[in-house]
Amino acid sequence: MRATTIHAPFDMRVADVPDPVIKQSTDVVVRVVRACICGSDLWAYRGESARQPGQRIGHEFLGLVEEVGADVRDFRTGDLVVAPFVWSDGSCEYCAEGLHTSCPNGGFWGSVGSDGGQGEAVRVPYADGTLVKLPAEAASDDHLLTALLALSDVMGTGHHAALGAGVRKGGTVAVVGDGAVGLCGVLAAKRLGAERIIALGRHTARTDIARTFGATDVVAERGEAAEAAVRELTGGQGAHAVIEAVGTEQSMRTAVNITRDGGSIGYVGVPHGSGTGLDLSVMFDRNIALRGGVAPVRAYIPELLPDVLDGTIDPSPVFDLTVDLDGVPGGYRAMDERTALKVLVKP
């Protein structure tokens, strides 16, 4: 089969690789119908996260089950399924608690020795604990498939951030970051009943999506100017709940400084840089809570899936460029140059 491989910074190639096969009786093989490029993939693309030459990449996909291991109970050949961005056994204590990302038998797609989502097919370990079945009729609905793909990562991650931030009905939320996760954080906050949602972002195409998703205000400034703008919008107090979806020192500092005393920050931006921007004494004095981390999206898919299916939420607008497999290297360039928000891949 063909799959995306990374060889060096800015060197993405679509290469012939071995077809995936059943290795354990709990595996299935999924033929990929939709995949995408994640903002976190750019850290490998830019050389800021180490990868071995020829390593696979991509952790978001949905597709059709093509082969089934002997001990798989819940899936049959031909089932349409979505995969969260990590696999998990579904039977350990962490999985039972809804923290599938800490499963001792889990792993990330595209890690050394595993298939990546940006290819024609993927071997899925622990299929029963990992995959979620989708309605068969969705396979013929192009728009719905795109919306459902967001459940593999960005929609669940935005939801995780909203929960960590303590978004509540009638509350005020500020969202730091106008990438796909930040925008899905806006959508998640709206779904949870937030009355006022302030989106921080400088790119009009992105903040227009934020408004479509439920943002009531947009702040285009950065740094101290952004903090002042949010405080002006909130009567000088700041937001009850703040979603941090970037992961830089500056974004975290901004998040702390726009949080209302007694409020919470839900952080899901992958941390990168030399520091976090956190001053624990400030957080202590102002009773600010910090919750978040790697989103256990497998725990959230059953809750979010019905709302995507009936149109209550539609995260599909975050995908603004579509490529085939040969177009994936160009898709990385487009996201790196910020001419694309999130690239949809149709193998």
Side-chain angles (χ1 to χ4, degrees), residues 179-214:
V181 170
L183 294 174
C184 286
V186 171
L187 191 57
K190 178 68 173 179
R191 177 181 175 273
L192 292 171
E195 182 175 320
R196 191 170 199 182
I197 303 172
I198 304 166
L200 281 69
R202 296 183 299 165
H203 304 273
T204 303
R206 300 182 179 200
T207 54
D208 285 349
I209 296 173
R211 289 189 185 277
T212 300
F213 282 180

Side-chain angles (χ1 to χ4, degrees), residues 161 167 172-179 181-187 189 196-201 210 215 217 219 230 239 241-246 254-255 258:
V167 174
T172 297
V173 181
V175 180
V176 181
D178 61 2
V181 170
L183 294 174
C184 286
V186 171
L187 191 57
R196 191 170 199 182
I197 303 172
I198 304 166
L200 281 69
D217 304 273
V219 169
V230 172
V242 174
I243 290 172
E244 193 286 315
V246 182
T254 297
I258 63 174

Side-chain angles (χ1 to χ4, degrees), residues 36 38 40-41 57-61 83-86 108-110 116-118 152-153:
C36 54
C38 184
S40 64
D41 292 331
I57 196 165
H59 54 262
E60 301 157 283
F61 65 95
F85 64 82
V86 302
F108 287 81
W109 311 112
Q118 294 162 21
S152 66
D153 185 347

Side-chain angles (χ1 to χ4, degrees), residues 38-234:
C38 184
S40 64
D41 292 331
L42 295 180
W43 301 119
Y45 179 70
R46 295 166 179 159
E48 297 181 43
S49 297
R51 294 292 188 275
Q52 295 183 3
Q55 189 172 335
R56 310 286 180 82
I57 196 165
H59 54 262
E60 301 157 283
F61 65 95
L62 60 75
L64 297 168
V65 175
E66 198 167 68
E67 297 180 53
V68 180
D71 291 328
V72 173
R73 305 180 307 275
D74 298 336
F75 300 98
R76 300 290 181 267
T77 301
D79 285 345
L80 181 67
V81 295
V82 63
F85 64 82
V86 302
W87 70 79
S88 53
D89 62 22
S91 60
C92 71
E93 291 184 7
Y94 286 114
C95 289
E97 295 168 3
L99 194 61
H100 299 76
T101 48
S102 291
C103 176
N105 291 314
F108 287 81
W109 311 112
S111 56
V112 175
S114 71
D115 296 322
Q118 294 162 21
E120 292 181 327
V122 176
R123 179 182 75 88
V124 178
Y126 301 104
D128 288 331
T130 299
L131 299 174
V132 176
K133 189 181 298 186
L134 302 173
E137 56 269 25
S140 59
D141 187 330
D142 188 72
H143 182 91
L144 181 57
L145 279 177
T146 301
L148 290 168
L149 177 62
L151 294 176
S152 66
D153 185 347
V154 289
M155 189 62 231
T157 298
H159 180 67
H160 186 59
L163 293 179
V167 174
R168 65 179 187 272
K169 188 173 183 179
T172 297
V173 181
V175 180
V176 181
D178 61 2
V181 170
L183 294 174
C184 286
V186 171
L187 191 57
K190 178 68 173 179
R191 177 181 175 273
L192 292 171
E195 182 175 320
R196 191 170 199 182
I197 303 172
I198 304 166
L200 281 69
R202 296 183 299 165
H203 304 273
T204 303
R206 300 182 179 200
T207 54
D208 285 349
I209 296 173
R211 289 189 185 277
T212 300
F213 282 180
T216 55
D217 304 273
V218 169
V219 169
E221 291 84 359
R222 297 184 72 177
E224 292 182 359
E227 295 164 14
V230 172
R231 291 202 168 271
E232 183 176 354
L233 288 169
T234 56

